[in-house]
Structures are given as C-alpha cells and as structure tokens.
Amino acid sequence: MSADLSPPVRPEDLIALQAANRRAADGRTEQQLVQLRAAVFAERDRTRSFGLPVTGRAELDVARLRGAISTHGALKVRGLLEGRQIEQLRTVIDSALEAQSAALAGAPAERTFPWFDLTNLVKGAEEARRLVYQTGSVLAVDSPRGMYQLLEILYERGIDQLITEYFGERPALSAEKTTLRRVDASPDPGGWHQDGSFLGSSIRSLNVWIALTDCGVDAPGLELLPTRLRHILPTGTEGAPMSFCVSPLIIEREFPGATIRPEFAAGDALLFDHYLLHRTWRAPAMTRSRYAIESWFFAPSAYPDSQTGLYI
Ligand SMILES: O=C(O)CCC(=O)C(=O)O
C-alpha cells in the first residue's frame, strides 16, 4: 500500500479557487470546492493553545472578552484598576472584615454598621457564610458601605457597560457569590473547581476577579486551566477536598502539564465564567496575604435559581 504523499490542502488554495469561480463559474470547480472544504476541515490544527490571553485596560472590549472566553475560558486584564481604587478597596476589605469579626464576637449591630450589616438576602445563608468565613472573606452584600464603594469603582471603570454588552442585557450581581477576600499565605492550595458545578450550566455568567495585591509569587494567586471547557467535570471523586471540587487525579490524567499560575499585579483582573477550572494557588514559600474581590455577574434571562440577583 503506498502512502498518500499529496500535500495538505491549505485554506488559501480554497479561497483562491472560490475567487476564480467568481470570475468564471463552473460546476466542476464548485464540486471540487465542496471536496476541498471537507479536506481543509479534516486537516485543521487540533492542538490546544494553553496560553492565557492578556489585554490592557485601554484595549479591553467585548470582542476581546468574547474571543478569549470562547477559546481559553478567561481573559487577563492588566491594570483594570489604578492606585487610588486599589487602595480604597483594600481599606474596604480590612474595614468589612474587622466589622464582621466584631459582629461574630457579639458586638452590637450599631457598632459594626455600615461596614457590616448581616443581610437576610442570602439564600442558603449558613452554608454560603461558612465557606466565606473559612476563607478569610466577607460577602459584599453583608457590607453596605463595601458594596457601595465597590460598585462606584466598577461604574467608574465602565465594567457594568462592558458586561451589559457581553450579555446583551444589563447584568445582576450575585448576593451569595460576590466576595471581599483577604487570603492568608497558608501552605495548602485550594480545591480545583468550576463554579458551574453548583450554579448549574444553563446560565450565563461572568466573574470579574480583581487582584488588589501583587500575587502569584509570594502571595497566593490563582491556578487555572486556560482552555474553554464546555462541560462540567465530575466532582467529589478520590482526592477532591470538597464535594464540589474536581479531583487532582482527573486533572493530571485529562490535562497533563496544562494548568498555569499567572502572576497578577495589584489592579489586574481575570474575567471568566462558570466553566473555568481554577483554584486558589498557594505554595509553602509564600509569605504574604493577598487581597482580592470576586464579583459574579449573571444575565437575568439565564440566572441561577440558587442566587439572589442585585440590580446594578
Ligand atoms: O480568590 C481566590 O483565591 C479564589 C477565587 C475563586 O475561586 C473564584 O473567583 O471563583
């Protein structure tokens, strides 16, 4: 049997033939074009590209956002926030966490208000807050002043407009998932997860995760799989630290060597949705804690039942 030594068909040959037929239409050429389309498709590049798309704030637009999420599952934005905004949000996090600790220790509500004010809006409140307390966080919705200041800054930077364009409708912010966080440099990495494993997959979401500390080297960062997944991986199997987490064994088997640990400067952001596989990245050599904000937006027309929507 002889090997097929014919050169691969290139897309540009197909385009040239299409142009030639435009000048002088011919049935045989049109038949050949059908065959060529199938051949070019069969030879397409199947290698996955594992780099993370990065853009500056000035270049950030809905086309870049859509493109990055549809191919890599996420977009890193350099300098989404600037110095004063970063400082202000770090102060928000400190003030809200301090007020939350005081409230948990029994301080009267008038002493912790308006930095902390336990709201009745959170669905599954006990479970939602248990995880939040465990990770050195406070729900933005429990901090009226923190929520106000966060939204002022997101409006200033046009994030609400960008997400409106992305969804094609004005987004709502999740009360249960929008979190102000100061993560310690404890040695254990977090559990791998896709937020869709508990939010459901028939939703449209965008998380605007903003680093407020340089992180990924000596302060905890994020580890992620920079590829578009279109399904939710099995959770809670051998080695998974919690029921909604994906076992590291599955990740090593399905995506060997493909996860990355990007470095973020304070003010950089990662935009992603409920399919991104990610976790908090910590290493024993890390010495500093990290401030960050996780703000989950959903399209009201495909909103998860488990989340309370806040009109922005
Ligand atoms: O900030 C972190 O370390 C975790 C963030 C996260 O899991 C998320 O934004 O979904």
Side-chain angles (χ1 to χ4, degrees):
M1 200 171 79
S2 66
D4 180 7
L5 295 177
S6 54
V9 187
R10 299 172 313 160
E12 46 275 34
D13 298 337
L14 197 157
I15 290 163
L17 197 59
Q18 175 93 10
N21 199 61
R22 209 170 287 140
R23 290 189 292 275
D26 173 68
R28 291 285 164 217
T29 307
E30 287 157 7
Q31 184 187 43
Q32 198 188 350
L33 274 167
V34 173
Q35 294 297 324
L36 285 180
R37 289 184 198 289
V40 169
F41 179 77
E43 283 161 17
R44 72 194 182 281
D45 184 2
R46 286 165 206 258
T47 55
R48 293 183 196 221
S49 162
F50 283 115
L52 179 64
V54 180
T55 189
R57 177 182 169 250
E59 293 74 47
L60 174 61
D61 61 16
V62 74
R64 276 201 173 75
L65 176 59
R66 281 212 185 99
I69 292 202
S70 68
T71 55
H72 293 75
L75 175 65
K76 178 177 164 185
V77 183
R78 286 213 182 91
L80 184 68
L81 301 189
E82 63 189 11
R84 174 190 59 78
Q85 298 160 334
I86 297 165
E87 279 308 309
Q88 187 178 338
L89 288 178
R90 287 168 62 106
T91 304
V92 160
I93 294 177
D94 283 335
S95 308
L97 280 173
E98 193 185 315
Q100 176 174 261
S101 297
L104 290 176
E110 57 284 7
R111 230 195 79 206
T112 63
F113 186 83
W115 282 111
F116 186 79
D117 179 43
L118 202 69
T119 170
N120 60 2
L121 288 172
V122 177
K123 294 184 183 167
E126 204 176 312
E127 174 67 5
R129 289 203 179 91
R130 192 174 54 76
L131 269 178
V132 162
Y133 298 156
Q134 272 172 12
T135 53
S137 314
V138 50
L139 289 180
V141 77
D142 282 340
S143 176
R145 180 158 290 168
M147 176 66 95
Y148 170 76
Q149 294 196 5
L150 168 64
L151 283 175
E152 280 292 283
I153 288 175
L154 295 183
Y155 294 147
E156 263 175 45
R157 297 309 250 187
I159 309 300
D160 55 324
Q161 296 298 336
L162 175 75
I163 304 175
T164 300
E165 260 189 84
Y166 179 70
F167 286 149
E169 55 187 309
R170 192 154 185 89
L173 189 63
S174 156
E176 290 76 9
K177 293 242 351 119
T178 300
T179 310
L180 314 174
R181 182 168 287 149
R182 193 175 59 206
V183 180
D184 286 341
S186 75
D188 295 331
W192 283 105
H193 64 281
Q194 293 167 289
D195 288 81
S197 70
F198 47 89
L199 294 171
S201 49
S202 49
I203 58 171
R204 288 193 296 139
S205 72
L206 191 75
N207 180 11
V208 179
W209 181 93
I210 309 174
L212 300 168
T213 307
D214 294 353
C215 62
V217 179
D218 60 354
L222 291 181
E223 185 169 15
L224 58 111
L225 179 75
T227 193
R228 182 57 171 165
L229 296 177
R230 296 181 195 281
H231 62 287
I232 300 297
L233 296 163
T235 58
T237 57
E238 189 192 342
M242 281 184 271
S243 59
F244 66 88
C245 294
V246 178
S247 162
L249 302 174
I250 294 185
I251 293 164
E252 278 154 32
R253 190 185 66 224
E254 301 288 325
F255 312 105
T259 61
I260 59 168
R261 297 163 186 162
E263 289 174 26
F264 295 93
D268 289 351
L270 190 74
L271 274 45
F272 60 96
D273 72 9
H274 55 287
Y275 282 114
L276 187 79
L277 185 62
H278 64 285
R279 66 172 174 173
T280 302
W281 165 240
R282 290 190 186 91
M286 290 179 173
T287 51
R288 296 169 53 236
S289 50
R290 175 258 278 163
Y291 290 71
I293 290 187
E294 173 181 342
S295 29
W296 279 89
F297 294 90
F298 299 103
S301 62
Y303 204 88
D305 293 338
S306 60
Q307 307 293 297
T308 304
L310 304 172
Y311 180 82
I312 61 146

